[in-house]
Amino acid sequence: SISSACTVESILHLGGIVGRTSIYTNTVTNEVVYSNITNCTNNGAISSTDATNPKCVFRCGGILGISDETNVIPAKIDNCTNNAPITFKEVNFSGTLTMMIGGIVSYSTKLGVYNCTNTKNGKIKIVGNSSNLYTAGIAAYSFNIDCKNTTNYGDVETEGTIVSNLMVAGMLSSPGYADSTGDRYFYADNLVNYGNVDVKMAAANARIGGVFGRGSQGDVSNSVNHGN
């Protein structure tokens, strides 16, 4: 299991398998190297019950914390399973705390997620107050994401008060990015959610859905929500 606190100003990247992946360029050959996480399972619970600094940023995923890669060929998570809960409690202050919590991945700039599962054991529970919260059974905050053949069985529960943005979903809470180019920023095919989404929070801007919370400039097909 992984247990973390945030008592000083910091950005925490927590992952059941990997905390953070980044693009790498070989300085000799100029070859761009990106990250693949395949055939991995997380059975260790992730939790935090002590967040007392108002400038903390939590980026926490059952498989990967953050994928910070901007190359044309995206990083990839393939055939991975999260089989453990993610619990954040006593997050109680009104500063600039931002929380991004996903059953598979929390934050990504360019990522492919294929054939992944967040099981019933992968329940996400967040209790407390913060500035921004993005949480979902699969991916929380994702600019460019290609997500296919992926299923969530884990419930997503939140309770407290959010000052600004609240995005909660069974699958992807905030995929894509809105601009004037007309480009597609996310693709979703054959996504299935069985998890219940239970939000007991007040927020200035709230987007809540069984499959997506808020999506911008994406293509969605063959996806279904079975959860409440």
Side-chain angles (χ1 to χ4, degrees):
S1 63
I2 301 173
S3 182
S4 178
C6 190
T7 56
V8 297
E9 181 178 347
S10 59
I11 298 175
L12 301 181
H13 301 153
L14 307 178
I17 302 298
V18 181
R20 177 175 180 171
T21 63
S22 298
I23 189 173
Y24 169 76
T25 302
N26 188 309
T27 56
V28 176
T29 65
N30 291 322
E31 178 186 6
V32 176
V33 181
Y34 56 96
S35 303
N36 289 333
I37 302 174
T38 59
N39 304 321
C40 293
T41 299
N42 174 51
N43 292 314
I46 300 173
S47 65
S48 178
T49 57
D50 185 10
T52 56
N53 189 284
K55 293 185 179 181
C56 289
V57 176
F58 282 104
R59 292 169 177 167
C60 173
I63 299 297
L64 173 63
I66 170 176
S67 172
D68 188 16
E69 312 212 15
T70 57
N71 46 319
V72 176
I73 302 174
K76 180 173 65 176
I77 303 175
D78 189 10
N79 196 34
C80 290
T81 300
N82 178 53
N83 192 43
I86 301 174
T87 306
F88 281 71
K89 295 182 179 180
E90 298 179 15
V91 185
N92 291 307
F93 47 78
S94 58
T96 58
L97 173 76
T98 294
M99 303 182 71
M100 302 174 185
I101 314 296
I104 299 296
V105 59
S106 73
Y107 174 95
S108 65
T109 52
K110 189 180 287 288
L111 182 68
V113 177
Y114 310 118
N115 311 302
C116 290
T117 302
N118 186 42
T119 72
K120 188 70 175 176
N121 293 332
K123 177 179 178 179
I124 297 173
K125 186 175 180 66
I126 300 168
V127 179
N129 308 320
S130 69
S131 180
N132 300 286
L133 172 60
Y134 304 85
T135 185
I138 300 300
Y141 195 97
S142 46
F143 285 108
N144 295 59
I145 188 168
D146 183 19
C147 189
K148 296 177 181 176
N149 305 321
T150 291
T151 304
N152 173 56
Y153 294 93
D155 294 342
V156 180
E157 297 182 3
T158 68
E159 183 176 348
T161 301
I162 301 299
V163 176
S164 297
N165 297 306
L166 174 64
M167 311 291 174
V168 185
M171 299 298 294
L172 313 176
S173 64
S174 185
Y177 183 79
D179 68 11
S180 59
T181 66
D183 292 339
R184 289 292 179 262
Y185 283 89
F186 80 93
Y187 298 87
D189 182 52
N190 194 26
L191 306 189
V192 182
N193 176 58
Y194 292 94
N196 297 320
V197 177
D198 185 8
V199 177
K200 297 175 182 177
M201 279 184 161
N205 300 294
R207 306 289 187 271
I208 302 163
V211 178
F212 307 105
R214 176 192 65 182
S216 300
Q217 294 181 210
D219 286 341
V220 180
S221 58
N222 306 311
S223 297
V224 62
N225 174 51
H226 295 287
N228 295 320

